[in-house]
Amino acid sequence: MACLQLSVPLLAGSRPKLTTVRCASDRQELFNRIAPVYDNLNDLLSLGQHRIWKRMAVSWSGSAKSGDYLLDLCCGSGDLTFLMSEKAGERGKVIGLDFSKEQLSIASSRQYLLSKPCYNNIEWIEGDALDLPFSNGYFDAITMGYGLRNVVDKRRAMREIFRVLKPGSRVSILDFNKSVQPLTAFFQEWMIDNVVVPTATIYGLAKEYQYLKSSIDEFLTGKESEKLTLDAGFSYARHYEIGGGLMGNLVATR
């Protein structure tokens, strides 16, 4: 889908601004609806473990350092973006890109409230993972948390990541794991049916979180994810199972 980017720079000490990019989809609307309770549900449903997994994902993105240009793709409310910002420091630049305007609004508010000096290096962009508004070889590292599973064209998304990443740099992609182990797959499905959806029902979001099961069913296994990445041109790819096999992290080097 086409997206229009309108650049809005962030000045030191000013309230964060959103860069507006016009794009639309059913999934975009879904994530807009769940945005107000997204963080609370993540903490509740994972017992806070998602914060550990996200730190692992950032660590796997490579040796990002002060002054680097970093991208957090499908950034949601900004958890990974803030972690990447701390690596880039005040001399660096971090882009948090997502297709959900509501998620970005929450991320921007968090940036303002947390008010760490290094967070002034963050710019939020509402945009399309399939048509990234950046030049070739622009970023020193890229993270993507719970996003690849939700893009409509995973091959194109991976090619776009490859395109905007500098040679020799890494992308780290955290998501649910589509396990090939029957017991793990059964437990994951049981958790969604008996814990995730009933909990989401309390917030009036049962239908939105029922989508989770189908999105995992349609997702790639670890080996399939590695092949997808190598087919996009990456020189190295490795998928790690974490969280007892319920989550996975794909690491690839351009």
Side-chain angles (χ1 to χ4, degrees):
M1 67 187 80
C3 294
L4 173 64
Q5 181 190 6
L6 303 175
S7 181
V8 181
L10 178 64
L11 302 177
S14 65
R15 188 175 179 86
K17 301 293 182 63
L18 295 182
T19 299
T20 302
V21 182
R22 297 191 185 96
C23 56
S25 72
D26 291 341
R27 295 184 186 187
Q28 182 183 28
E29 292 173 3
L30 183 152
F31 281 92
N32 280 336
R33 289 196 300 273
I34 68 175
V37 299
Y38 184 72
D39 288 331
N40 288 340
L41 278 173
N42 280 347
D43 280 327
L44 183 62
L45 295 171
S46 72
L47 300 177
Q49 293 296 298
H50 74 101
R51 300 190 182 279
I52 297 173
W53 303 329
K54 288 170 180 173
R55 288 191 176 277
M56 292 171 70
V58 169
S59 176
W60 268 317
S61 70
S63 53
K65 59 188 182 300
S66 177
D68 279 355
Y69 276 55
L70 310 175
L71 172 64
D72 182 24
L73 193 55
C74 302
C75 65
S77 59
D79 281 353
L80 285 167
T81 317
F82 293 122
L83 293 174
M84 294 288 271
S85 171
E86 292 169 8
K87 282 186 166 287
E90 295 180 61
R91 292 174 49 243
K93 177 75 175 178
V94 181
I95 302 292
L97 183 142
D98 201 279
F99 67 174
S100 169
K101 183 176 182 179
E102 296 303 320
Q103 292 275 20
L104 289 172
S105 178
I106 291 170
S108 178
S109 296
R110 292 178 67 195
Q111 179 186 14
Y112 181 71
L113 292 172
L114 292 170
S115 194
K116 262 192 176 182
C118 66
Y119 292 165
N120 286 326
N121 66 14
I122 299 173
E123 181 182 356
W124 308 104
I125 294 180
E126 183 186 351
D128 188 352
L130 304 183
D131 187 18
L132 297 175
F134 311 111
S135 58
N136 296 347
Y138 189 77
F139 293 103
D140 296 287
I142 298 175
T143 53
M144 189 180 198
Y146 301 99
L148 185 62
R149 177 174 41 86
N150 294 307
V151 298
V152 294
D153 188 339
K154 296 171 182 57
R155 295 180 189 280
R156 183 174 170 184
M158 197 59 71
R159 288 196 298 268
E160 276 292 273
I161 292 171
F162 178 85
R163 180 182 66 80
V164 302
L165 193 61
K166 290 180 180 178
S169 297
R170 287 187 201 169
V171 59
S172 178
I173 301 174
L174 171 67
D175 215 313
F176 282 89
N177 179 44
K178 183 178 180 179
S179 180
V180 296
Q181 300 298 324
L183 185 60
T184 303
F186 172 80
F187 180 68
Q188 187 177 62
E189 186 171 330
W190 184 91
M191 285 288 293
I192 293 171
D193 288 339
N194 296 278
V195 179
V196 175
V197 174
T199 303
T201 302
I202 298 171
Y203 294 87
L205 295 170
K207 182 179 178 181
E208 285 77 2
Y209 275 82
Q210 284 169 349
Y211 158 78
L212 182 60
K213 189 198 296 191
S214 63
S215 72
I216 294 173
D217 288 342
E218 297 166 6
F219 197 35
L220 306 172
T221 64
K223 290 297 182 185
E224 290 168 342
S225 296
E226 290 175 353
K227 184 178 186 304
L228 173 75
T229 308
L230 294 172
D231 288 347
F234 286 85
S235 62
Y236 171 86
R238 177 75 183 273
H239 183 269
Y240 299 92
E241 292 190 356
I242 59 178
L246 299 177
M247 303 294 151
N249 203 103
L250 176 65
V251 182
T253 304
R254 178 172 175 183

